[in-house]
Amino acid sequence: NIDKQNRMLELLEQKIENFNDFPISVKQALVDMQFNMGNKKFSDNNWPKLFQAIDNRDWRTAGKEARQRKDVQKSRREWTYKMFIDAK
């Protein structure tokens, strides 16, 4: 749904500085995490190492942190990890 996608993008733009400058694969991973976890669960309070890695544009560490998700199946965690690792 386009409205939900736009809402996810708006939330991420507010939550993460320079979100719009990130590689598309990172944006895809973050939209997926925001959508599946919701705004309260997907926060720097709950994911401090992930958000620190994002701030540092350390995509490898961000991918490793994202792999720790418990809200989705293993294949989805691996996809998210790959989106961060493949960032250019």
Side-chain angles (χ1 to χ4, degrees), residues 1-2 4 10 21 25 28 32 35-36 39-40 42 51 56 59 75-76 79-80 85 87:
N1 180 315
I2 294 295
K4 283 185 181 179
E10 287 173 10
D21 297 334
S25 63
Q28 289 172 319
D32 181 72
F35 178 81
N36 283 292
N39 204 42
K40 290 183 181 176
F42 188 61
F51 277 81
N56 294 332
W59 305 132
S75 61
R76 186 62 154 269
W79 175 87
T80 306
I85 297 304

Side-chain angles (χ1 to χ4, degrees), residues 30-78:
L30 293 171
V31 166
D32 181 72
M33 293 179 80
Q34 174 72 42
F35 178 81
N36 283 292
M37 283 190 246
N39 204 42
K40 290 183 181 176
K41 287 185 182 176
F42 188 61
S43 68
D44 57 350
N45 286 335
N46 292 325
W47 293 88
K49 291 179 185 176
L50 173 67
F51 277 81
Q52 184 63 53
I54 291 167
D55 285 346
N56 294 332
R57 293 185 183 221
D58 178 356
W59 305 132
R60 180 165 298 283
T61 299
K64 289 177 183 177
E65 288 300 313
R67 242 185 190 166
Q68 305 303 313
R69 296 169 68 180
K70 304 291 187 227
D71 64 312
V72 293
Q73 68 276 20
K74 183 179 179 183
S75 61
R76 186 62 154 269
R77 290 193 302 270
E78 292 303 316

Side-chain angles (χ1 to χ4, degrees), residues 3 5-15 19:
D3 290 336
Q5 278 186 326
N6 287 337
R7 181 67 183 138
M8 294 301 109
L9 291 172
E10 287 173 10
L11 288 169
L12 288 166
E13 288 166 2
Q14 294 168 8
K15 187 179 288 196
F19 172 79

